[in-house]
Amino acid sequence: MAKPKKAPVKAKEFAFEKGDFVVYPTHGVGRVIDIEAKEIAGHKLDLFVISFEQERMMLRVPVAKAKISGLRKLSSRKIMESALVTLKGRSRVSRAMWNRRAQEYEAKINSGDPVSIAEVVRDLHRNAGQPDQSYSERQIYEAALDRLARELAAVERIDKDLATQKLNSVLQKVA
């Protein structure tokens, strides 16, 4: 009797279905390809099976732990517009040592929040005539731009390259 009662509660509690796009904070946009039940160490677990095309990776997240792990639905158009507005703002580069700033940037990227990721892109973006970026600065910038472009592409139902072009055009208008 406990089994039928338990499954519907979980399904209503977390409304991800097969085919839904989701965002996992440390990996970005993925798609729920299955919801499976597995027995692990004697416990029956319901798992979201998420595919990340970009990384060619599959992730299994227990349904009960999905909210705690930060798994969320795609951002709304309103949140993505807010991220684009953030890109248009003035860059804020702190005077802290690079390793401290790099940690802060990585934390913002891994938060999965589009506005925080847009802050990283804005702060690390270089226009022609500005000094070149270091290798690690460039790596973090590209990771943030890629993460933001993938979510923008999924929200607007366009391909990632077009989303990247849109982000770059916003950044160029600021210059």
Side-chain angles (χ1 to χ4, degrees), residues 34-40 43-49:
D34 198 10
I35 300 171
E36 63 184 21
K38 287 222 176 193
E39 189 168 320
I40 302 171
H43 296 284
K44 185 181 177 202
L45 287 176
D46 292 325
L47 305 166
F48 290 120
V49 181

Side-chain angles (χ1 to χ4, degrees), residues 22-31 50-61 69-72 106 108-113 117 143 146-148 150-151:
V22 294
V23 177
Y24 191 79
T26 53
H27 298 296
V29 178
R31 180 175 272 190
I50 304 166
S51 171
F52 296 91
E53 292 292 319
Q54 189 80 9
E55 286 112 9
R56 295 187 194 125
M57 180 180 81
M58 299 283 269
L59 181 68
R60 286 176 171 77
V61 179
S69 71
L71 189 66
R72 66 173 173 80
E106 290 288 347
K108 284 183 176 184
I109 292 169
N110 289 334
S111 73
D113 175 38
I117 296 169
D146 181 66
R147 185 75 61 89
L148 191 59
R150 283 194 280 159
E151 187 155 2

Side-chain angles (χ1 to χ4, degrees), residues 49-161:
V49 181
I50 304 166
S51 171
F52 296 91
E53 292 292 319
Q54 189 80 9
E55 286 112 9
R56 295 187 194 125
M57 180 180 81
M58 299 283 269
L59 181 68
R60 286 176 171 77
V61 179
V63 171
K65 301 281 186 186
K67 196 169 192 172
I68 295 167
S69 71
L71 189 66
R72 66 173 173 80
K73 291 185 177 192
L74 282 178
S75 298
S76 65
R77 288 191 184 273
K78 189 175 182 180
I79 291 171
M80 289 311 294
E81 285 300 319
S82 171
L84 293 176
V85 168
T86 300
L87 284 180
K88 295 175 186 174
R90 288 180 52 94
S91 67
R92 297 184 190 107
V93 179
S94 72
R95 298 276 180 225
M97 297 293 289
W98 167 246
N99 61 351
R100 171 80 60 177
R101 284 186 289 145
Q103 287 175 347
E104 290 170 6
Y105 292 145
E106 290 288 347
K108 284 183 176 184
I109 292 169
N110 289 334
S111 73
D113 175 38
V115 176
S116 294
I117 296 169
E119 289 173 4
V120 174
V121 172
R122 175 197 67 202
D123 294 348
L124 292 179
H125 178 71
R126 294 284 185 266
N127 290 312
Q130 287 184 310
D132 291 338
Q133 294 174 313
S134 67
Y135 177 76
S136 58
E137 210 174 9
R138 185 86 187 144
Q139 292 294 105
I140 292 172
Y141 170 75
E142 288 176 357
L145 184 64
D146 181 66
R147 185 75 61 89
L148 191 59
R150 283 194 280 159
E151 187 155 2
L152 180 65
V155 168
E156 294 192 355
R157 291 184 171 87
I158 57 177
D159 75 333
K160 189 184 132 274
D161 293 335

